[in-house]
């Protein structure tokens, strides 16, 4: 049986990627797992234009799989802490793409410690972070949801 290798890469975000990211954010299963309420198009585009792409302290990359945008990984400051987050389209889940992409991203994002706080029930996200060296240090509540605080390269 002939197999083709999946090529995973990172690149700067292009304007056309935002439409893809918006669609991924509205995937019902992704919303359920992340407990993140999707934004309407106008609010989504305003957030990405001003707070992500428009903030020079934010480092964001499009994850590309076989030339197609598969999602994004973002690092930003929240007070004195540098956080990361990511969002992948459902066709790219469970294939090792997140691990490969986050590993490369972490080679480029040099700030440590680096924090992440996925919702406690999102076991796939927690596993991804742990595979990439993050360690759980506790929990925090955001609204009604408990989130796991994970740290790479230092303690909370």
């Amino acid at each position: 049986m002939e197999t083709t290798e999946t090529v995973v890469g990172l690149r700067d975000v292009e304007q056309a990627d935002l439409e893809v990211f918006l669609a991924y954010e509205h995937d019902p299963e992704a919303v359920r797992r992340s407990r993140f309420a999707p934004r309407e198009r106008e609010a989504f585009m305003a957030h990405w234009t001003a707070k992500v792409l428009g903030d020079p302290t934010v480092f964001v990359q499009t994850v590309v799989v076989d030339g197609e945008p598969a999602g994004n990984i973002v690092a930003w400051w929240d007070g004195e802490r540098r956080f990361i987050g990511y969002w992948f389209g459902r066709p790219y889940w469970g294939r090792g793409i997140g691990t490969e992409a986050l590993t490369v991203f972490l080679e480029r994002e040099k700030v440590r410690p680096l924090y992440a706080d996925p919702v406690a029930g999102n076991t796939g996200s927690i596993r991804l972070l742990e595979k990439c060296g993050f360690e759980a240090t506790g929990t925090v509540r955001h609204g009604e949801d408990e989130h796991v605080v994970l740290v790479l390269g230092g303690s909370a």
Side-chain angles (χ1 to χ4, degrees):
M1 178 202 281
E2 188 177 318
T3 60
T4 57
E5 186 176 329
T6 300
V7 179
V8 178
L10 299 178
R11 65 164 166 73
D12 290 340
V13 175
E14 298 171 359
Q15 193 65 36
D17 296 339
L18 298 183
E19 295 293 342
V20 177
F21 299 165
L22 175 64
Y24 291 161
E25 185 173 294
H26 280 261
D27 178 278
E29 182 61 14
V31 170
R32 187 188 71 74
R33 289 183 185 202
S34 67
R35 303 277 301 156
F36 184 84
R39 300 174 185 97
E40 291 304 319
R41 186 180 192 285
E42 187 174 306
F44 178 91
M45 294 299 176
H47 172 81
W48 268 85
T49 300
K51 296 196 175 188
V52 180
L53 299 174
D55 183 341
T57 69
V58 171
F59 177 51
V60 58
Q61 296 278 271
T62 295
V63 177
V64 180
V65 175
D66 296 332
E68 296 297 319
N72 60 74
I73 306 177
V74 184
W76 71 94
W77 289 102
D78 183 359
E80 298 296 312
R81 290 182 170 184
R82 184 90 165 156
F83 277 82
I84 66 154
Y86 39 81
W87 200 280
F88 296 98
R90 195 185 327 184
Y92 304 99
W93 296 356
R95 297 172 46 193
I97 290 164
T99 303
E100 191 171 337
L102 186 54
T103 298
V104 173
F105 185 87
L106 293 171
E107 291 169 1
R108 297 178 184 179
E109 170 59 50
K110 303 294 187 189
V111 175
R112 301 293 186 270
L114 197 54
Y115 296 84
D117 63 351
V119 69
N122 193 343
T123 55
S125 187
I126 294 167
R127 270 198 318 269
L128 167 59
L129 291 160
E130 289 174 340
K131 282 185 205 172
C132 291
F134 284 76
E135 296 180 4
T137 61
T139 61
V140 64
R141 291 198 77 76
H142 294 300
E144 298 178 5
D145 297 309
E146 182 178 53
H147 291 246
V148 177
V149 177
L150 295 107
V151 181
L152 177 67
S155 59

